[in-house]
Amino acid sequence: MLNNSVEIICKHRVQGVEIEASQIKGIKAGEGVLPCATAIIATGGMSYPGTGSTGDGYDWARAAGHRIIPPRPGLVPLVANEEWVKELQGLNLKNVEASAYRLDGSRINQEFGEMLFTHFGVSGPIILSMSRDIGEVLYSRQETVRLCIDLKPALTEEKLDARLQRDLDIYSRRQFKNSLDRLLPKKLIPVIVALSAIDGNKESNQVTRVERRKLLQLFKSLEITITATRPISEAIVTAGGVEVKGINPKTMESKLVKGLYFAGEILDVDGYTGGFNLQAAFSTGYLAGKSAANTACLCHLKQ
Ligand SMILES: Cc1cc2nc3c(=O)[nH]c(=O)nc-3n(C[C@H](O)[C@H](O)[C@H](O)COP(=O)(O)OP(=O)(O)OC[C@H]3O[C@@H](n4cnc5c(N)ncnc54)[C@H](O)[C@@H]3O)c2cc1C
């Protein structure tokens, strides 16, 4: 197809790039080599390989002398140890606050918003945003991470205690397990009752102050042990990739190979959810495209 003097060739798997004397010479595809004065490698990361991004470009960049920061999952769901998490599969929690802690008690990060329970653990916007830093702790320190969910972040402990007391009073003759409807989603109630170790069958007016205290702790800090991230193939974005030190940020051209450009997720650039990764791909793609076209024109004029 020819449009604006550009030929677009689809459905061809590129096998590599041909470089001679630190200058790009061609693109290897099919049986032959497509000669070129400039080329942009924009093969994406290694996430969601079904979309075509299988990490091919890393080998080409490595062969060109570039350093590759080991690719790892960027925005990715997290695997939990507790069996009860699986019982909550499909439950979406809004307006909660999640905090992640290292084993020494220091906080990794904290997010407020929406999360989701799955058959393996947790996902949803705030979990994905937290997953990059949590993944670093999981893999660099080889330790589990404690994820604490505040189910009622808008209420102080005192206010929540008063609220709990009020509901237990209102439903004083009901069984305890049937008295939390106004405070929790239905699916979560049996889990919280079991974790509280309070006899769910006893009347609410029999719940002691100590038991109410335990309940309060669960509401303010529902603890989940994170043991792993899901694999990179399930990550929304790949962290790591072509080291940006080897790229000229004004043009996206390789500092090692003339005429070779990089753009998008193949680079060691990744961001939070919210369009930052798409924006990075669009911006670097635009810049690489403009710069490569300028270089190609200059080459054409010299010939
Ligand atoms: C499910 C999902 C949801 C996402 N949601 C968001 C979001 O809400 N906001 C956000 O900012 N980002 C989001 N992202 C991330 C965003 O889509 C990527 O960061 C962005 O698409 C990267 O663009 P790219 O062009 O660098 O790579 P890609 O979009 O991965 O494109 C790379 C292309 O190269 C092709 N290719 C690879 N190897 C070869 C080869 N050897 N020969 C020929 N072609 C090849 C692939 O087929 C593919 O078409 C999401 C990603 C996924 C998977």
Side-chain angles (χ1 to χ4, degrees):
M1 186 173 77
L2 268 175
N3 197 4
N4 292 329
S5 309
V6 173
E7 187 181 359
I8 299 175
I9 306 171
C10 298
K11 300 205 184 301
H12 276 67
R13 190 184 179 109
V14 175
Q15 276 122 22
V17 287
E18 198 154 271
I19 297 163
E20 267 176 44
S22 303
Q23 162 76 50
I24 185 81
K25 287 289 171 196
I27 304 288
K28 295 178 203 161
E31 297 293 292
V33 174
L34 215 61
C36 63
T38 58
I40 304 171
I41 301 183
T43 46
M46 289 183 75
S47 323
Y48 276 76
T51 62
S53 324
T54 47
D56 293 3
Y58 298 134
D59 288 337
W60 314 338
R62 206 177 279 116
H66 283 273
R67 183 168 173 242
I68 307 297
I69 309 297
R72 58 195 187 283
L75 303 170
V76 69
L78 301 172
V79 179
N81 196 33
E82 286 79 5
E83 279 300 309
W84 57 260
V85 169
K86 295 177 190 154
E87 292 167 33
L88 297 178
Q89 180 180 351
L91 176 67
N92 200 30
L93 294 178
K94 286 187 175 144
N95 300 324
V96 293
E97 188 169 72
S99 309
Y101 297 93
R102 295 177 189 86
L103 285 187
D104 64 11
S106 58
R107 196 167 74 188
I108 303 166
N109 52 19
Q110 186 174 58
E111 287 282 338
F112 172 84
E114 198 172 332
M115 64 171 284
L116 173 74
F117 286 93
T118 67
H119 65 284
F120 54 78
V122 282
S123 187
I126 60 171
I127 300 299
L128 294 177
S129 290
M130 296 170 81
S131 65
R132 189 184 191 284
D133 293 341
I134 291 177
E136 294 226 355
V137 174
L138 289 169
Y139 299 118
S140 66
R141 295 168 67 126
Q142 297 282 312
E143 63 180 45
T144 57
V145 166
R146 201 161 51 91
L147 188 70
C148 299
I149 315 296
D150 185 344
L151 299 167
K152 301 284 172 195
L155 298 178
T156 61
E157 288 203 2
E158 291 70 31
K159 282 194 176 150
L160 181 58
D161 192 37
R163 177 75 204 276
L164 279 171
Q165 206 166 355
R166 198 178 72 202
D167 277 34
L168 292 175
D169 284 347
I170 293 172
Y171 301 122
S172 63
R173 305 307 299 269
R174 275 196 197 177
Q175 288 177 310
F176 166 62
K177 66 182 179 193
N178 295 326
S179 62
L180 298 173
D181 298 14
R182 284 158 34 115
L183 282 161
L184 291 173
K186 243 187 173 40
K187 213 168 183 173
L188 194 51
I189 295 174
V191 169
I192 294 288
V193 169
L195 291 174
S196 74
I198 303 170
D199 177 2
N201 295 321
K202 75 175 173 184
E203 283 187 358
S204 295
N205 57 22
Q206 298 299 308
V207 174
T208 66
R209 210 148 71 91
V210 174
E211 287 175 330
R212 206 178 66 235
R213 185 81 212 153
K214 169 79 183 150
L215 197 57
L216 181 78
Q217 275 167 8
L218 284 171
F219 273 77
K220 290 305 276 180
S221 183
L222 180 62
E223 278 193 33
I224 299 170
T225 312
I226 302 299
T227 54
T229 65
R230 291 293 279 179
I232 195 164
S233 57
E234 290 177 33
I236 301 289
V237 70
T238 301
V242 178
E243 191 180 39
V244 289
K245 252 202 270 177
I247 313 287
N248 179 349
K250 290 193 174 138
T251 59
M252 302 313 296
E253 189 177 21
S254 161
K255 289 180 183 171
L256 308 174
V257 177
K258 242 194 119 21
L260 182 63
Y261 294 77
F262 291 90
E265 205 175 308
I266 188 171
L267 294 162
D268 177 27
V269 172
D270 62 284
Y272 284 147
T273 49
F276 298 105
N277 295 291
L278 283 170
Q279 184 61 56
F282 297 152
S283 299
T284 53
Y286 175 81
L287 183 57
K290 275 203 104 163
S291 314
N294 286 340
T295 305
C297 281
L298 285 176
C299 291
H300 189 66
L301 286 175
K302 276 186 200 161
Q303 282 165 5

